[in-house]
Amino acid sequence: MSDVGAFREGMSRLGAAVNLITTDGAEGRHGIIASAVCSVTDTPPMLLACINTASRAHDRLVANGVLCVNVLGAGHEELSGVFARYREGVDRFAHGSWLRLATGAPVLRDANAAFDCRIVSRKVQGTHSVIFCEVEAVRLRDRPDHGLVWFGRGYHRLAHPA
């Protein structure tokens, strides 16, 4: 068995894109910040997201059956902080500008990319669900912002090539 502290420290050294995962449906609208998102296949277009089963968003995402992975840019650090912290009675969706695509999940209008998805399966592993999602629509920002990554327990900006 490995040391949990060493594992967490090691994972803090694995830079990852900052994503805002949103959902809406019978269980209500919700959003969560996640870095554990990746492509699975392009035929059919599919991605996966790892979500802690204890998070407030987990059961809502699963029950709604839809989600949108909004890839945040460097200008979204404050918005990321709003969604990373839960405060009772605060409408986090009052921040940002939102639209809807195929599934009805909230799409951040100025996300660098947005992947509007239907959940097709999930596997619970330890404390997290690995949620497999088929992409129904993609929205790309015309002029992408610099990238936003989480590395070393902090935000970092990646310059967008000109």
Side-chain angles (χ1 to χ4, degrees):
M1 178 199 258
S2 66
D3 178 296
V4 173
F7 174 78
R8 288 182 178 173
E9 178 59 29
M11 292 307 295
S12 78
R13 298 175 187 187
L14 175 64
V18 180
N19 304 286
L20 171 54
I21 299 177
T22 57
T23 190
D24 201 356
E27 293 298 312
R29 185 172 62 169
H30 204 70
I32 187 171
I33 297 298
S35 59
V37 173
C38 72
S39 168
V40 174
T41 178
D42 65 357
T43 309
M46 187 172 289
L47 56 81
L48 67 78
C50 299
I51 307 293
N52 190 315
T53 58
S55 79
R56 294 181 182 277
H58 179 272
D59 292 347
R60 290 180 184 174
L61 286 166
V62 172
N64 285 341
V66 298
L67 60 82
C68 183
V69 174
N70 296 278
V71 180
L72 300 184
H76 293 123
E77 287 181 37
E78 183 178 334
L79 181 68
S80 176
V82 167
F83 277 86
R85 292 181 300 277
Y86 178 78
R87 290 188 303 197
E88 190 68 41
V90 173
D91 179 10
R92 296 183 288 176
F93 287 93
H95 303 268
S97 177
W98 304 93
L99 57 95
R100 308 219 182 228
L101 297 176
T103 71
V107 175
L108 182 62
R109 188 176 301 276
D110 63 347
N112 277 341
F115 301 93
D116 190 28
C117 306
R118 289 210 182 275
I119 296 172
V120 294
S121 67
R122 77 180 170 108
K123 169 143 176 62
V124 177
Q125 187 66 47
T127 59
H128 284 63
S129 283
V130 181
I131 301 175
F132 292 88
C133 307
E134 191 163 338
V135 178
E136 292 203 0
V138 176
R139 184 170 195 277
L140 302 174
R141 186 172 173 176
D142 289 338
R143 297 177 145 234
D145 192 3
H146 295 300
L148 183 63
V149 296
W150 185 255
F151 175 77
R153 295 183 176 87
Y155 292 113
H156 300 273
R157 296 169 180 232
L158 295 178
H160 185 273

